[in-house]
Amino acid sequence: MSRAHTALRRAALGTALAAAALLTAAGAASAHVTVHPDSYAKGATDGVLSFRVPDESDTASTTKVQLFLPTDHPVLGVLVSPHDGWTAKVTETRLKTPVRTDDGTITDAVSEITWTGGKVTPGHYEDFDVAFGLLPDDTAELPFKTLQTYSDGKVVRWIEEAAKGDEEPENPAPVLKLTPATASSTATKSSAATSATTKASASDSTARGLGAAGLVVGVLGLAAGAFAVVRSRAAR
């Protein structure tokens, strides 16, 4: 019984190790640079994009991250959040087509952000935060091509974009989906305005009704008083 029990334990341990190896391999194969959240409304303002960079190497650390922002549909008002141990270099580019905003016409936008000086060690990841003032409203998605450089000199190019209906490429670029702006806020404002109007109308109607009722009571009171006077004189 003891030998059988030992054999069963060894078999179970072997199965668990094999499953863990498969999960680890699957995790390493699927890990790539991603953007969080992965969607925003078109024309969104004052938000933050977090770019997650995992280190997939067994021995080398990530020492440089280059993020390229699209300039055909530019992200405006870009600000980089300080990151411990890392230094960010921001590069601006003159836009081929200036963007008109409520604050004026924008002719330049950030096209590249490069982080250096820090490191992402094997088996770990880092989130690099980028704040924006305004997202474009004339496209359905924004690809952010990224280059990841390791301490051993290897460069992974996260720049591939999948065509509609195709499977995810081997080195996909992080993509931010832009969804149609919902009318929820407009509907809420409209509903609130309608509610306020309805309440005001109801209040006005109630006031008018009370006023009319008061007028009727007053007239009846005057009539009663006049009748009393006439009756008193008749009695005399």
Side-chain angles (χ1 to χ4, degrees):
M1 292 294 292
S2 178
R3 291 180 178 178
H5 184 67
T6 302
L8 287 174
R9 288 185 62 184
R10 288 179 178 176
L13 179 59
T15 302
L17 290 175
L22 287 174
L23 290 175
T24 301
S30 61
H32 51 262
V33 178
T34 53
V35 58
H36 304 271
D38 61 359
S39 67
Y40 255 110
K42 292 182 177 181
T45 59
D46 301 326
V48 175
L49 299 175
S50 183
F51 294 90
R52 179 162 297 176
V53 180
D55 189 290
E56 297 179 284
S57 175
D58 295 328
T59 57
S61 298
T62 298
T63 57
K64 183 179 181 181
V65 177
Q66 293 170 269
L67 178 71
F68 298 91
L69 288 72
T71 55
D72 52 347
H73 302 287
V75 178
L76 304 181
V78 170
L79 294 174
V80 181
S81 175
H83 202 66
D84 290 343
W86 294 86
T87 299
K89 178 183 177 182
V90 179
T91 302
E92 290 193 353
T93 298
R94 179 61 59 92
L95 300 175
K96 292 182 178 179
T97 304
V99 180
R100 294 182 180 180
T101 69
D102 294 337
D103 298 323
T105 300
I106 307 298
T107 58
D108 299 88
V110 174
S111 58
E112 180 184 346
I113 303 173
T114 301
W115 287 273
T116 56
K119 66 178 180 178
V120 184
T121 55
H124 296 83
Y125 70 86
E126 290 279 357
D127 287 337
F128 297 87
D129 296 335
V130 177
F132 65 84
L134 177 65
L135 292 179
D137 59 4
D138 57 352
T139 185
E141 61 182 27
L142 292 175
F144 293 89
K145 297 181 178 181
T146 307
L147 300 184
Q148 180 180 9
T149 302
Y150 286 88
S151 56
D152 59 4
K154 180 181 178 181
V155 178
V156 181
R157 300 169 63 83
W158 303 101
I159 62 173
E160 298 175 3
E161 299 180 48
K164 188 174 182 180
D166 289 351
E167 295 182 357
E168 184 179 72
E170 183 178 356
N171 295 316
V175 175
L176 178 69
K177 297 179 181 178
L178 296 181
T179 60
T182 62
S184 58
S185 58
T186 303
T188 300
K189 293 179 181 179
S190 177
S191 176
T194 301
S195 177
T197 302
T198 302
K199 289 180 180 179
S201 178
S203 178
D204 186 58
S205 297
T206 301
R208 290 181 180 180
L210 291 175
L215 180 61
V216 171
V217 171
V219 171
L220 290 177
L222 290 174
F227 178 74
V229 172
V230 171
R231 185 176 182 181
S232 176
R233 290 179 178 178
R236 291 178 182 177

